[in-house]
Amino acid sequence: MPELPEVETVRRGLQRQLAGRRIERVEVGRERVVRRTSREALIDGLTNTTVLSAERRGKYLIMPLDSGDSMMIHLRMSGQVLLAPAGADRPAHTHVVMHLDNSTECWFVDPRTFGEVVVYNPANVAVELPPLAQLGVDPIAEHFPRTALRKMVRGTSKALKPFLLDQQNVAGIGNIYADEILHRSRLRPERPANTIDAAATWRLHFAIIDILTASIEVGGSTLGDAQYVDVDGESGSFQNEHRVYGRTGERCSTCGRGWIRRIVSGGRSTHYCPICQR
């Protein structure tokens, strides 16, 4: 958490409210969130620049600046990007504050400090931000034909759950949506990817697009810890549509016969229905 739908929801809020704004001043508290460079590098790279747009690749927020550089924000486990009037009370763990030219502030809040904010040169992304350069196809932001997915699954014996979590394959899918996508596709999470036939690959492709799109439409999933919210502090509601994630021991709402099981696949907690998914 957050995954592609949550990050896309934040991106849309930033496109509405941050794009076109000039950053007049920057405060950086906890240096861990700027560990890839430094506090000084972030302040110097953002001060007196204008944010041209808000973009996204996988789980990464990318904001091109009029300086020619770009700002990258990665929320990771508990990061939030919030917009508020200047002088508003800041939440605990607010580590970066951008003072904007319209008397608002953009905050990066991260209790666990796994997230990060970086200014980088897009022409040198492979050196400055290797994980960003190595991302696979973004199934929402980019063209993602079924034939591309078919080629991917035929080329690996990796289990389907770790396959979906590998950001160099399909960028943006995390633990929650991998479980939901595999349930919609009627595929077992531990099944080797290269054992599924063309029809199953088409189901998987449809589920990737459909699940992610449906979640974006309702603002993503906000779990019980309420760590994820959009730029206005509002929760998503797709958690109400989860069929398997976090439902261990419940009757499957899809088939009405199976009981949702929890296993560990690829080192991650994984939920599935043994009746629906083969």
Side-chain angles (χ1 to χ4, degrees):
M1 276 293 288
E3 302 179 25
L4 187 155
E6 292 75 43
V7 180
E8 174 63 15
T9 301
V10 172
R11 183 203 70 79
R12 294 182 180 189
L14 292 174
Q15 179 62 32
R16 289 192 306 269
Q17 301 185 53
L18 184 61
R21 300 264 62 92
R22 184 167 56 87
I23 302 171
E24 296 184 330
R25 186 164 60 90
V26 180
E27 300 174 49
V28 178
R30 185 79 181 271
E31 280 203 280
R32 179 172 159 83
V33 301
V34 293
R35 59 192 175 274
R36 197 177 294 269
T37 55
S38 67
R39 176 186 283 119
E40 292 74 19
L42 187 70
I43 293 172
D44 291 345
L46 291 179
T47 301
N48 291 322
T49 64
T50 296
V51 179
L52 300 179
S53 64
E55 302 170 2
R56 180 192 56 76
R57 284 218 67 221
K59 302 175 190 177
Y60 292 81
L61 290 162
I62 303 166
M63 279 145 282
L65 307 169
D66 67 348
S67 62
D69 288 336
S70 290
M71 171 171 52
M72 183 280 287
I73 299 178
H74 197 185
L75 304 177
R76 295 196 186 272
M77 294 292 290
S78 61
Q80 300 173 344
V81 180
L82 301 172
L83 289 158
D89 290 338
R90 300 171 186 171
H93 311 292
T94 300
H95 302 304
V96 178
V97 177
M98 291 170 258
H99 298 262
L100 308 178
D101 62 352
N102 62 344
S103 298
T104 62
E105 296 175 358
C106 180
W107 303 331
F108 179 70
V109 181
D110 189 6
R112 302 184 69 178
T113 66
F114 291 133
E116 57 181 325
V117 184
V118 178
V119 173
Y120 71 99
N121 180 353
N124 202 31
V125 64
V127 174
E128 296 184 36
L129 281 174
L132 183 57
Q134 295 164 6
L135 288 177
V137 63
D138 186 303
I140 300 300
E142 300 172 312
H143 181 54
F144 181 42
R146 291 182 298 180
T147 51
L149 181 62
R150 181 64 177 151
K151 183 177 180 180
M152 288 181 201
V153 298
R154 292 178 71 178
T156 180
S157 60
K158 184 180 291 188
L160 284 168
K161 175 70 178 282
F163 168 80
L164 288 176
L165 293 179
D166 186 341
Q167 300 301 294
Q168 295 185 36
N169 293 324
V170 182
I173 299 172
N175 209 36
I176 295 172
Y177 294 101
D179 284 358
E180 294 299 313
I181 286 165
L182 289 171
H183 182 74
R184 177 73 64 85
S185 327
R186 307 195 304 276
L187 295 168
R188 290 260 183 136
E190 69 271 32
R191 182 170 172 176
N194 60 5
T195 66
I196 67 174
D197 61 16
T201 305
W202 299 163
R203 294 199 309 270
L204 180 60
H205 182 272
F206 174 81
I208 290 171
I209 304 297
D210 192 57
I211 292 285
L212 297 177
T213 301
S215 183
I216 291 167
E217 289 175 353
V218 295
S221 299
T222 298
L223 303 184
D225 59 10
Q227 288 288 352
Y228 160 70
V229 291
D230 67 14
V231 298
D232 298 311
E234 299 295 325
S235 300
S237 63
F238 193 71
Q239 66 276 6
N240 300 323
E241 306 299 323
H242 293 174
R243 294 296 184 98
V244 289
Y245 183 83
R247 296 189 178 277
T248 304
E250 296 183 20
R251 178 78 75 176
C252 176
S253 59
T254 299
C255 69
R257 295 181 295 137
W259 298 88
I260 303 304
R261 291 183 183 174
R262 177 190 174 278
I263 60 171
V264 176
S265 179
R268 303 298 297 275
S269 179
T270 299
H271 310 80
Y272 76 101
C273 171
I275 302 297
C276 289
Q277 295 171 247
R278 299 293 179 184

